[in-house]
Amino acid sequence: MKWTGWLLIGGIVLLPLVTWWTLASPNRVLAVRETPTWLLTILLLLVLASWVWDQDRWLGAFIAYWVLWDMPFRGPLAHEMVLLVALGAVGLCAVRLIPRSSHPSVRFVLVGVGLLQCLSIFGQTMGYEPLWAGLMTTPNRPVGTLGNETWVATLLAVIAPLAPWYLLPLFFLALYLTHSLMGMVAASVAVLILYRESYTVITLAYAGALALIVDPSHLLASWSIRWAVWMQALTDQTWLTVLIGRGPGAWLMQPRMAQGELFLWAHNEFLQLFYEGGLVALVLLAGWLWAHRTPLARLPYGASVVALGGMGLTMFPFHLAITGLLGIVVLGMATAPEDPCAS
C-alpha cells in the first residue's frame, strides 16, 4: 500500500507526545522509554501487515487484526504472540517465492526429516537412542528427537503424504509406535486423499489406523480430559469474548485444568483461536481457506494440509517451533502461485 509509509510519519508526530502515558509500564520513569518503543513496534507491525496484504489480503487482514488486538491487551505474552504470528506470515509468503523447479528438492528434504524421526523412533523402541542419554527408560513411548510422542507424531503425519509409496510403511509403523491415535488417523486420511485410486494403499491406511486402537481405555481417558477442558473454555464466554475473543496469548495467561492435568494450550488450534480471537479470527481464517481453496486442493501438499488440520483438532502444532515451522512451509508450498515471479 502506498500510504503505509505515512504510518511512520505519523509515528514521528505521535511518539514524542506519549512519553507520559503508562501504557507499556506502570512505572512513569520506565514508561518514558517503554511506551514509545511499544507503539513503534505496533506501527512497524502494521507496516508489515500492509506488505502481507499486498501478497495475500486475507492473511494481511488476519495479521492486522492481531496487531490491533495487542494495543488494548498489552500483555507480554500477547506481544510475543503477535510478533510470532506476523513473522510467521512473512515466512509463509517467503516460502511461496521458492521456484516450482525447486519444489521436488523441498519435498526431498521434508521426507528426509521424517525418515530421521522414523529411525530415531525405531531405535528408542529397541531401548537405545544416543540423543536421549543412551538407553531409553520407557522404550514403549518413543519420542523421536522432539522429546514428545505427540509432537513427533504430528511431524510424521504431516510429512507422510509427501513420502513415496514405498516409504509409507515406515511412517505408519513409526506412528503406530508413538501410540498417537490422531496422528494415525490424520496420516491415514491424507494418504487416502493422495492415493484414492489405489486399493493397496487404502488398505494400508485403514489397517494402520485401526491397528493403533490397542488400549481404548487410555484413549477414552485422554479424550475425556480434553473434552472437559474444551467445555470449560466454551462455557466461560460473554457476547463480547465470543465476538472478538480474549486477546492473543490469553489462554496461556489463564490455563485450564481438568482431572489434575494443566493445559497450557487448548490442544485444539481452532478452539484456541476462537478463545483468543473470537468469531472475527475464525471468519478471517475461513476467508483465507476459501480464497486459497483451489491451490490447497493440489496434491501432494494439499494432503499434508489436511493432516496438519487434523492434528490441529487435538494438538497445538502452531504453538511449537518445529511443527509450527513445518506448518508454515507446507502451507506456503501448498498455496504457492504457478509463477512465483508474478507475485
Side-chain angles (χ1 to χ4, degrees):
M1 294 183 182
K2 296 181 179 180
W3 53 265
T4 303
W6 286 100
L7 285 172
L8 302 182
I9 304 303
I12 295 176
V13 177
L14 177 64
L15 296 189
L17 304 177
V18 298
T19 53
W20 58 272
W21 196 2
T22 56
L23 183 65
S25 173
N27 186 308
R28 285 191 175 275
V29 175
L30 294 177
V32 171
R33 180 188 62 194
E34 297 298 331
T35 297
T37 301
W38 179 80
L39 287 174
L40 174 60
T41 305
I42 296 297
L43 290 174
L44 291 174
L45 285 173
L46 287 174
V47 171
L48 186 149
S50 71
W51 178 83
V52 174
W53 169 277
D54 289 337
Q55 319 300 315
D56 187 327
R57 292 196 171 186
W58 282 103
L59 188 58
F62 186 84
I63 302 306
Y65 176 64
W66 280 114
V67 172
L68 294 174
W69 229 132
D70 192 19
M71 295 185 68
F73 204 60
R74 298 194 306 277
L77 288 174
H79 209 48
E80 179 182 349
M81 184 67 66
V82 169
L83 282 170
L84 287 174
V85 170
L87 294 176
V90 174
L92 192 153
C93 292
V95 170
R96 288 176 178 168
L97 298 177
I98 296 176
R100 285 212 164 261
S101 59
S102 299
H103 282 204
S105 299
V106 174
R107 185 175 176 181
F108 178 82
V109 170
L110 294 179
V111 172
V113 170
L115 285 176
L116 175 63
Q117 296 306 315
C118 290
L119 295 176
S120 178
I121 287 171
F122 298 153
Q124 291 168 354
T125 303
M126 293 185 288
Y128 182 76
E129 167 55 51
L131 291 181
W132 295 98
L135 294 176
M136 292 285 292
T137 56
T138 55
N140 62 319
R141 284 289 181 175
V143 296
T145 66
L146 275 67
N148 182 284
E149 62 269 20
T150 306
W151 300 359
V152 72
T154 299
L155 183 143
L156 291 175
V158 174
I159 294 178
L162 304 178
W165 65 269
Y166 51 84
L167 292 180
L168 286 177
L170 296 178
F171 278 82
F172 275 94
L173 177 58
L175 279 167
Y176 171 76
L177 294 173
T178 66
H179 290 250
S180 172
L181 174 61
M182 198 61 204
M184 287 293 291
V185 172
S188 298
V189 171
V191 169
L192 286 171
I193 293 173
L194 189 62
Y195 295 98
R196 52 185 176 271
E197 297 179 358
S198 173
Y199 291 104
T200 302
V201 178
I202 288 176
T203 302
L204 171 65
Y206 272 123
L210 294 175
L212 181 66
I213 310 176
V214 294
D215 186 4
S217 61
H218 171 74
L219 296 175
L220 289 175
S222 177
W223 275 93
S224 65
I225 296 174
R226 282 178 167 84
W227 186 260
V229 170
W230 296 341
M231 289 301 102
Q232 286 181 27
L234 289 174
T235 55
D236 185 20
Q237 297 288 341
T238 66
W239 70 267
L240 186 60
T241 58
V242 167
L243 181 62
I244 63 173
R246 298 174 180 271
W251 185 287
L252 193 55
M253 294 181 67
Q254 294 181 326
R256 304 281 170 164
M257 179 175 288
Q259 301 181 28
E261 185 173 346
L262 184 65
F263 277 62
L264 296 177
W265 297 275
H267 287 253
N268 186 314
E269 291 284 27
F270 305 99
L271 175 63
Q272 186 157 347
L273 181 63
F274 168 71
Y275 185 85
E276 297 183 350
L279 290 175
V280 173
L282 289 180
V283 168
L284 291 172
L285 173 62
W288 185 86
L289 292 172
W290 178 257
H292 296 282
R293 63 191 182 279
T294 300
L296 285 173
R298 290 198 296 257
L299 301 176
Y301 287 102
S304 287
V305 172
V306 170
L308 180 65
M311 294 306 299
L313 291 173
T314 59
M315 232 280 286
F316 40 91
F318 283 105
H319 287 81
L320 298 171
I322 300 172
T323 52
L325 179 57
L326 176 62
I328 290 172
V329 171
V330 166
L331 289 172
M333 297 297 286
T335 58
E338 292 295 337
D339 182 8
C341 297
S343 63

